[in-house]
Amino acid sequence: MDAPIGIFDSGFGGLTVARAVLDQLPHEPVLYLGDTARQPYGPKPISEVREYALECLDHLVAQGVKTLVIACNSASAAVLRDARERYDVPVVEVIVPATRRAVSATRNGTVGVICTEATATSRAYDDAFAANPGISLHTRACPRFVELVEQGVTSGPELLAAAENYLQPLIDLRVDTLVLGCTHYPLLTGVLSYVMGDGVTLVSSAEETAKDVYRLLVREGLERDAALPAPQHRFLTTGRPEEFAVLGRRFLGPEIVAAEQFSHPASVTIGGRP
């Protein structure tokens, strides 16, 4: 099916999901929308996150995407159920794929999740792990990580001090598997692995979500014809396109040549209904 994969995030972090999707499905076009004008979602109330996320998802569906990827843990926690009822295309999110991988990876049944305040408050990971009563789950909100990543700080003493402060309680609890419950965090795997130690498995929600997208397209017969020309990718932002293109290349790579402005219009119709 020659239609794009729609990927939504509150800002830049979802580009780590887009990167994983492009690596695993190089013949598929991507339409990415980052709500950078209203990021971060992490500290916002769930009701506000829901409103913003649905506006953006409505626009992606109106553009004719064949599947939606909610590449934001905060938004996944806020709107997943609504999105699956609201749209006629399949919806993939980031929480369940990471949970599934963590359950299979842990050896001692003690799992840590690091995430934003909104994701922690939603208890979305608690719900996702509930089907596995043998797992002891420990969640830590790490709000400074997003700020540091977007400043370009992915190493150095400031980041190391923040990581040690956030992660020491999880080390004390002897977690052997750590879920990176925010799509910014894959850019911090170096410091996270260093602080946690080699014995701890890091689970990237970005990589696991891309695997689910791959499985979905194959299962539903939605793969793009291999005989078609190379795909064209588009990147939309509610913020400043020039800034998005520059910072976005740090997350995704050279595929971001330019970004386009999206102004979240007051009325977007989906299948004839507002």
Side-chain angles (χ1 to χ4, degrees), residues 35-56:
D35 193 9
T36 52
R38 299 183 293 197
Q39 69 166 349
Y41 281 8
K44 289 181 168 61
I46 289 291
S47 59
E48 195 171 333
V49 171
R50 180 182 180 278
E51 176 189 351
Y52 295 165
L54 289 175
E55 281 183 0
C56 294

Side-chain angles (χ1 to χ4, degrees), residues 146-208:
V146 170
E147 173 189 334
L148 290 168
V149 166
E150 295 201 352
Q151 290 173 355
V153 179
T154 55
S155 62
E158 182 182 13
L159 175 62
L160 179 58
E164 289 174 337
N165 178 60
Y166 286 141
L167 300 177
Q168 190 59 52
L170 298 177
I171 295 171
D172 294 342
L173 289 164
R174 300 186 184 279
V175 304
D176 76 345
T177 303
L178 183 68
V179 176
L180 311 188
C182 173
T183 49
H184 282 69
Y185 296 175
L187 276 72
L188 302 178
T189 52
V191 69
L192 296 176
S193 181
Y194 175 77
V195 173
M196 294 302 296
D198 291 340
V200 175
T201 300
L202 303 185
V203 175
S204 164
S205 56
E207 290 293 332
E208 299 308 317

